[in-house]
Amino acid sequence: MSKELYKLPALKYGYADLEPYISEEQLRIHHEKHHQAYVTNVNSLLQMMDKARKEGMDFDYKATAKAVAFNLGGHVLHDYFWWGMTPAGNATKEPVGELAEVIKEDFGSFERFKKEFSQTASTVEGSGWAALTFCNNTKRLGIMQIEKHNVNAFPDFSILMAIDVWEHAYYLDYKNERGKFIDAFWNIVNWEEIDRYFRKFQHSKE
């Protein structure tokens, strides 16, 4: 059976379509350069391991495992980041559907959730992410703070949405003002898409 490699996903919108919240230049560099680098790196690691196994050779198992987790984490989280956004004219500004109801149930209100999520994103040490997650065992939403791409992640918790707070996600537009980027992000969240995913995931687990 032939083995596949990872691919850079196409965006559902044009590079200029998230303006003024994310500029065309910022989005293009982020997608074509930074995300592509994680895809290239993890594919190179997979090919190296395939070759070593075929030839019966050893490699640095510890360093390789760490590098795969970092680069694959970067690829997967960027996927969530891209599909969780939409041009501002299409955005509902607040959650919709079943997800809106569960956010209200678990956090008390959307404003409370927004405050917690924003603070979680703004306080990531160094580079990393904030993600809205769902635990199917407890049926609870949660907010995960991920350092780098793979540190502090909750195993087996489904990610519903994510924000990238590495400086490469916002530096051209907001310089070092991470908080302004987080505030801007709320204008382009694709709540309808996230709710569709949440409902699909919910019903597939019943």
Side-chain angles (χ1 to χ4, degrees):
M1 183 175 65
S2 62
K3 301 293 184 181
E4 299 290 333
L5 293 173
Y6 293 102
K7 298 177 182 178
L8 183 70
L11 301 183
K12 300 179 296 181
Y13 36 78
Y15 285 118
D17 290 349
L18 300 185
E19 292 184 341
Y21 305 105
I22 299 178
S23 69
E24 178 178 1
E25 182 182 17
Q26 176 71 75
L27 183 55
R28 185 183 297 276
I29 292 173
H30 194 175
H31 181 250
E32 292 183 348
K33 302 299 183 182
H34 292 283
H35 189 173
Q36 180 64 65
Y38 300 124
V39 173
T40 300
N41 290 342
V42 73
N43 285 340
S44 295
L45 289 162
L46 294 176
Q47 290 171 322
M48 178 276 291
M49 289 188 287
D50 287 344
K51 185 174 185 292
R53 290 160 183 162
K54 184 177 181 180
E55 296 176 355
M57 302 295 290
D58 284 324
F59 52 87
D60 189 330
Y61 302 110
K62 179 179 180 180
T64 300
K66 185 175 182 179
V68 169
F70 176 80
N71 286 286
L72 185 53
H75 169 52
V76 171
L77 286 168
H78 277 92
D79 273 353
Y80 282 107
F81 185 49
W82 304 137
W83 73 257
M85 294 188 292
T86 191
N90 300 333
T92 62
K93 308 306 180 189
E94 292 192 4
V96 298
E98 291 183 26
L99 180 61
E101 296 174 7
V102 178
I103 284 176
K104 184 175 181 180
E105 180 180 343
D106 286 1
F107 291 91
S109 67
F110 170 61
E111 287 305 317
R112 176 68 191 196
F113 161 72
K114 184 177 177 181
K115 176 182 177 181
E116 289 192 24
F117 190 92
S118 295
Q119 287 298 312
T120 300
S122 67
T123 56
V124 174
E125 293 183 1
S127 299
W129 300 76
L132 173 63
T133 66
F134 182 73
C135 175
N136 196 57
N137 289 328
T138 63
K139 309 299 182 186
R140 288 176 177 267
L141 295 171
I143 301 174
M144 182 160 56
Q145 186 181 75
I146 306 168
E147 294 177 8
K148 300 180 181 179
H149 299 309
N150 57 323
V151 179
N152 299 335
F154 306 159
D156 202 34
F157 275 51
S158 297
I159 294 175
L160 303 178
M161 64 175 276
I163 181 173
D164 186 351
V165 289
W166 284 63
E167 284 194 343
H168 69 230
Y170 58 86
Y171 196 81
L172 290 179
D173 295 336
Y174 300 97
K175 301 300 184 280
N176 64 334
E177 297 187 84
R178 182 189 287 183
K180 287 187 177 180
F181 169 63
I182 295 169
D183 289 343
F185 170 75
W186 293 110
N187 293 283
I188 50 177
V189 175
N190 193 344
W191 289 115
E192 291 183 347
E193 183 72 14
I194 296 168
D195 178 60
R196 279 193 292 270
Y197 176 73
F198 178 63
R199 287 185 283 113
K200 181 179 179 181
F201 173 78
Q202 281 272 70
H203 298 320
S204 69
K205 296 294 184 178
E206 289 178 352

